[in-house]
Amino acid sequence: MPGQAMAPRSMKPSGPGRWIVPLLAWVVACLAAPTPAAAQVGGPAPPAAPAPRARSRATERGERRLFQRFVEDAAIIPGGWLEAQYRYDNFDNGSVHRVGPLVAFKLVDNIEAGLRFGFIDSRPDAGSSESGISDIDLYAKYRLPGARSRFAVGTLVKTPTADDTRGLGTGKTDLELFGAFRADLEAVTLTANAGVRFNGNPAPPLPSIEDTVFVGAAVLLPASPQLTFVIEGTYESRTIKGTGADGRLTLGLQSFGPERRGGFRGAVALPLSDGAPNYQVLLGAFLVY
């Protein structure tokens, strides 16, 4: 009651009422007293802005990836990678367009898995054009443990989802085994890879296919936290009898946005042997999470 709030200190109400006056006085004093932040700026302090996502140097290097051998690399994506990718191959007897997703994600520490597939549009100079869904590549790799580990091993399986009757695939399963090395130095990143691919032999009238071996090496040159230049050389032994090996030199760049949440990639591959395309164009828009 108001009368109790104005009572002199000598009055001592009986029962629970004797605690009401001191309690009300304490509450009013707490509400009326300004906080230190309010006293300084004349109002309540604004809520603290969320801290930006911390990104270590190792995380940034792991998000700089190869073009031809994205899978066969000792890098492990820190979280996830989602890329919409377009590839154009130009040959003496026609061209091939491919568009589709490339997905990679970290399963647990030191293990990355992913898949890639897409839509193929094959346009030979002689004959009719064919288009449809491509084969699906599924992969997993394991980076050897250690604070400064630079080696990884992995496998890739090609599932025969493309229509072999239209020349979009072989209709057979392929198995790939590979090893990879990656050294993130002060100014550059060096990579190397090698492996073997057991190619399923298609039924006639498709030509017989041989197992292949491959090697590759690359230099990644970070020009800034957002921009990286890539120089990548790859070689794979001949797949079809009577054809040459596939050797390519790929020159590309990868650019991140201001917050490194994603960006764009682009490259041109030039032939180093008769079995490679006359040239190849690779374009991608990617998101990291």
Side-chain angles (χ1 to χ4, degrees), residues 273-289:
S273 63
D274 294 339
N278 294 330
Y279 65 89
Q280 181 187 52
V281 177
L282 305 94
L283 301 172
F286 66 93
L287 172 71
V288 292
Y289 57 92

Side-chain angles (χ1 to χ4, degrees), residues 9-188:
R9 293 182 181 270
S10 60
M11 295 180 64
K12 295 182 180 180
S14 61
R18 62 181 179 176
W19 301 105
I20 294 177
V21 174
L23 179 59
L24 290 177
W26 179 80
V27 171
V28 171
C30 290
L31 294 176
T35 62
Q40 293 176 3
V41 300
R53 182 174 63 165
R55 308 188 66 79
S56 66
R57 179 180 176 185
T59 296
E60 293 180 357
R61 292 297 180 96
E63 293 174 347
R64 293 166 175 164
R65 302 299 291 260
L66 303 178
F67 287 89
Q68 302 291 351
R69 302 281 167 81
F70 180 98
V71 173
E72 298 86 355
D73 185 2
I76 300 294
I77 196 70
W81 177 289
L82 176 61
E83 180 175 359
Q85 194 173 84
Y86 167 76
R87 293 189 176 218
Y88 171 76
D89 295 273
N90 181 275
F91 299 92
D92 290 335
N93 58 355
S95 62
V96 179
H97 301 262
R98 294 179 178 87
V99 61
L102 168 61
V103 181
F105 48 89
K106 185 175 73 171
L107 287 176
V108 295
D109 288 344
N110 296 322
I111 297 181
E112 178 183 295
L115 59 91
R116 60 188 175 194
F117 63 94
F119 183 85
I120 299 178
D121 181 21
S122 178
R123 301 181 180 182
D125 292 338
S128 60
S129 299
E130 297 288 353
S131 60
I133 299 298
S134 72
D135 295 323
I136 299 177
D137 289 336
L138 306 171
Y139 80 90
K141 60 183 174 181
Y142 171 66
R143 183 172 56 194
L144 303 184
R148 296 182 59 84
S149 177
R150 296 176 174 177
F151 295 92
V153 294
T155 183
L156 180 147
V157 177
K158 186 205 79 176
T159 61
T161 53
D163 190 344
D164 58 311
T165 63
R166 299 163 63 185
L168 301 178
T170 64
K172 301 294 181 179
T173 300
D174 299 346
L175 173 64
E176 177 185 307
L177 304 174
F178 64 87
F181 168 84
R182 183 180 178 108
D184 292 320
L185 306 180
E186 185 66 28
V188 301

